[in-house]
Amino acid sequence: MHSPVDKPVLSLSRMAIHAVLLIAVLLYLVPLVVMLLTSFKTPEDITTGNLLSWPAVITGIGWVKAWGAVSGYFWNSIMITVPAVLISTAIGALNGYVLSMWRFRGSQLFFGLLLFGCFLPFQTVLLPASFTLGKLGLASTTGGLVLVHVVYGLAFTTLFFRNFYVSIPDALVKAARLDGAGFFTIFRRIILPMSTPIIMVCLIWQFTQIWNDFLFGVVFSSGDSQPITVALNNLVNTSTGAKEYNVDMAAAMIAGLPTLLVYVVAGKYFVRGLTAGAVKG
């Protein structure tokens, strides 16, 4: 049993931990607060005030100009990210299902080779991907970027699904086979209903990686097919005349809002899904 003296000590230690965490959160949020405040300031207010000062006059002109500059590229990113996320997640689910429950000769070797894709830096695939897209006639197109992101993301989605599926009891699949269920019937009626946590992990992971990508976007797209990350870089670095920091900050906030929204809405599923497949495999 704990003595009454232990309770204040425990309370003080908990308060100290909370205080440290609160300070860390505040420091982490400072850049976001600066961006948000600056986006609602006038250019004159930015030059006269400090970074954390409240706007003397709150105005949304920076957001209007920013949206006018990046709106087309924002929808480009939507058209690139959504199909790439859905396709890579669907194929990764099938790959993980096969590698965990329908093993074939050489499946472990195949899985090991596939894992190399998780460790390949983006730069190593630029030349072969450029050559392939050129041969397919997809260079500098939205479809080409979708293909690149699907292929590059398959190693990760396959790994996630495979590690999750090996934790599912083999007896379920064996019983379904005895009842005459086939490959796709087992996958559709038994495996998929249990896959919600890992599906959310893959959706969030792929959405974040693809939406925030800059290298593939700047190499494999041009002109009106560029994603918002490239457009944001062009806006910040190629503007002429007086620097409009309120527009730059508003554009950066627009570019970051989708991923922020995804994590706010589905962040708990991401952690739950990562831990769900960590028991074995």
Side-chain angles (χ1 to χ4, degrees), residues 27-279:
L27 291 175
Y28 187 81
L29 289 177
V30 165
L32 179 62
V33 173
V34 171
M35 290 174 60
L36 191 60
L37 290 176
T38 304
S39 68
F40 287 105
K41 292 180 179 179
T42 61
E44 295 76 15
D45 197 6
I46 295 173
T47 57
T48 57
N50 61 65
L51 291 176
L52 290 173
S53 62
W54 192 260
V57 178
I58 297 178
T59 175
I61 189 63
W63 286 80
V64 174
K65 289 184 177 181
W67 180 249
V70 302
S71 59
Y73 305 101
F74 180 91
W75 296 117
N76 283 347
S77 287
I78 293 289
M79 291 187 291
I80 293 167
T81 303
V82 172
V85 169
L86 295 179
I87 295 171
S88 59
T89 300
I91 299 177
L94 283 171
N95 287 347
Y97 171 55
V98 171
L99 290 172
S100 60
M101 299 182 182
W102 295 78
R103 294 175 183 173
F104 51 89
R105 179 176 296 181
S107 61
Q108 293 301 316
L109 176 61
F110 175 78
F111 179 64
L113 293 174
L114 187 64
L115 287 182
F116 278 110
C118 297
F119 305 102
L120 288 176
F122 281 16
Q123 294 82 353
T124 60
V125 301
L126 293 182
L127 288 178
S130 297
F131 177 80
T132 303
L133 293 180
K135 288 294 184 179
L136 296 175
L138 295 174
S140 299
T141 64
T142 300
L145 267 178
V146 171
L147 178 61
V148 170
H149 284 299
V150 168
V151 173
Y152 192 84
L154 279 180
F156 295 96
T157 57
T158 300
L159 174 64
F160 292 154
F161 277 103
R162 186 264 181 188
N163 285 351
F164 181 82
Y165 288 155
V166 294
S167 65
I168 297 177
D170 294 336
L172 289 176
V173 178
K174 292 179 180 178
R177 289 180 184 176
L178 290 175
D179 290 336
F183 179 88
F184 287 105
T185 301
I186 295 174
F187 181 68
R188 185 177 66 254
R189 296 189 177 182
I190 298 177
I191 302 302
L192 273 184
M194 304 172 64
S195 303
T196 301
I198 200 63
I199 289 175
M200 296 303 300
V201 167
C202 288
L203 291 178
I204 296 172
W205 173 272
Q206 282 294 89
F207 186 93
T208 305
Q209 296 297 312
I210 297 172
W211 185 273
N212 291 334
D213 168 69
F214 174 79
L215 183 60
F216 285 168
V218 76
V219 172
F220 299 128
S221 66
S222 61
D224 294 336
S225 66
Q226 292 177 332
I228 192 170
T229 50
V230 179
L232 178 61
N233 176 74
N234 296 338
L235 175 67
V236 172
N237 293 319
T238 62
S239 57
T240 58
K243 192 66 173 175
E244 295 182 300
Y245 290 103
N246 56 338
V247 177
D248 294 344
M249 295 300 179
M253 291 292 297
I254 292 172
L257 281 176
T259 50
L260 178 63
L261 180 63
V262 166
Y263 273 101
V264 169
V265 173
K268 62 180 180 180
Y269 298 106
F270 185 76
V271 177
R272 187 183 306 169
L274 283 178
T275 57
V279 178

Side-chain angles (χ1 to χ4, degrees), residues 16-29:
I17 293 173
H18 288 174
V20 172
L21 292 176
L22 180 61
I23 293 173
V25 168
L26 292 176
L27 291 175
Y28 187 81
L29 289 177

